[in-house]
Amino acid sequence: AQSVTQLDSHVSVSEGTPVLLRCNYSSSYSPSLFWYVQHPNKGLQLLLKYTSAATLVKGINGFEAEFKKSETSFHLTKPSAHMSDAAEYFCVVSDGGDYGQNFVFGPGTRLSVLP
Amino acid sequence: EADIYQTPRYLVIGTGKKITLECSQTMGHDKMYWYQQDPGMELHLIHYSYGVNSTEKGDLSSESTVSRIRTEHFPLTLESARPSHTSQYLCASSGGKETQYFGPGTRLLVL
């Protein structure tokens, strides 16, 4: 069975400082991993995904994440936070199955960016 | 930008009314999903579909029902809305194991 842990329910950073949102997963198979962002009153937007290619994945808006199999982690980072980054972030794991509801969502991390 | 649409975006309705939340995608994806999300909370899968004429219940029990008569369309119906159904409902589709694409969501308020 798969599971996702997002270690921080809320992260607060100052504008211009680095962002780190942590995600750990468990999966019986070679997983695909995703980060989604949800701005207030909006749907979910895909930030980036890992699908067994390069372990360092670059996404939109300057975000990137590194897949570390030994640590079962997929932490999301950004060198310099912007006010527009304030949102809810979800880490998602999907296993190798081709059918079925195989996307498991983490509980989310709310990112606040202070001026 | 993903081509997945949900209507209505917002709905306020009285207790006991029947409602249908629409979800359509133009990407030809076989798999579609409905999630329920309370404000500031995680997503809970309530229904999913592998393809036409396939529907399954998700992890969270829901009084809603779904149908999948056409590939592009996956409506969700509540026969008798109650205040406990107040939530945001998110529809998603996927062409495989790779990526889910989400609609903008429907915010439902049942008075």
Side-chain angles (χ1 to χ4, degrees):
Chain A
Q2 305 170 97
S3 68
V4 178
T5 303
Q6 291 185 242
L7 297 162
D8 306 296
S9 60
H10 186 206
V11 170
S12 185
V13 301
S14 297
E15 190 174 22
T17 63
V19 175
L20 170 64
L21 304 183
R22 297 181 292 170
C23 172
N24 287 88
Y25 70 92
S26 68
S27 176
S28 302
Y29 306 96
S30 297
S32 294
L33 293 155
F34 309 82
W35 276 99
Y36 285 86
V37 61
Q38 185 180 32
H39 287 93
N41 302 317
K42 301 287 187 182
L44 273 72
Q45 180 184 17
L46 179 69
L47 271 179
L48 50 80
K49 64 181 180 181
Y50 165 79
T51 55
S52 74
T55 56
L56 182 62
V57 182
K58 293 187 182 300
I60 62 172
N61 301 334
F63 284 95
E64 62 182 37
E66 186 171 8
F67 173 70
K68 292 186 176 180
K69 186 175 181 179
S70 61
E71 299 176 9
T72 61
S73 68
F74 191 57
H75 301 334
L76 181 70
T77 61
K78 182 174 181 178
S80 177
H82 192 273
M83 296 296 288
S84 61
D85 294 328
E88 190 86 16
Y89 291 80
F90 293 94
C91 183
V92 183
V93 63
S94 174
D95 68 15
D98 289 328
Y99 297 98
Q101 42 105 15
N102 55 0
F103 292 92
V104 177
F105 281 75
T109 297
R110 180 168 301 171
L111 176 65
S112 297
V113 182
L114 307 174
Chain B
E1 193 78 18
D3 296 323
I4 181 163
Y5 309 99
Q6 290 185 244
T7 57
R9 291 293 310 279
Y10 303 92
L11 179 62
V12 181
I13 202 162
T15 296
K17 300 292 186 183
K18 178 180 178 179
I19 59 172
T20 296
L21 308 184
E22 302 287 350
C23 176
S24 296
Q25 50 96 5
T26 58
M27 297 172 282
H29 287 167
D30 286 329
K31 288 183 279 188
M32 296 188 74
Y33 311 79
W34 276 105
Y35 292 87
Q36 185 174 342
Q37 183 188 30
D38 292 328
M41 303 296 286
E42 60 198 280
L43 278 72
H44 294 284
L45 181 69
I46 52 175
H47 298 283
Y48 62 100
S49 168
Y50 301 141
V52 171
N53 294 326
S54 153
T55 61
E56 302 288 341
K57 289 190 177 296
D59 303 322
L60 181 67
S61 175
S62 174
E63 295 169 344
S64 59
T65 60
V66 292
S67 63
R68 191 85 183 276
I69 298 172
R70 304 198 315 266
T71 297
E72 63 271 21
H73 196 210
F74 191 40
L76 180 146
T77 299
L78 277 165
E79 290 292 334
S80 179
R82 296 208 304 267
S84 61
H85 297 139
T86 294
S87 190
Q88 177 171 236
Y89 294 84
L90 292 166
C91 180
S93 72
S94 172
K97 68 173 183 176
E98 297 299 317
T99 303
Q100 283 181 310
Y101 295 94
F102 283 83
T106 295
R107 288 191 177 275
L108 173 64
L109 172 61
V110 183
L111 302 175

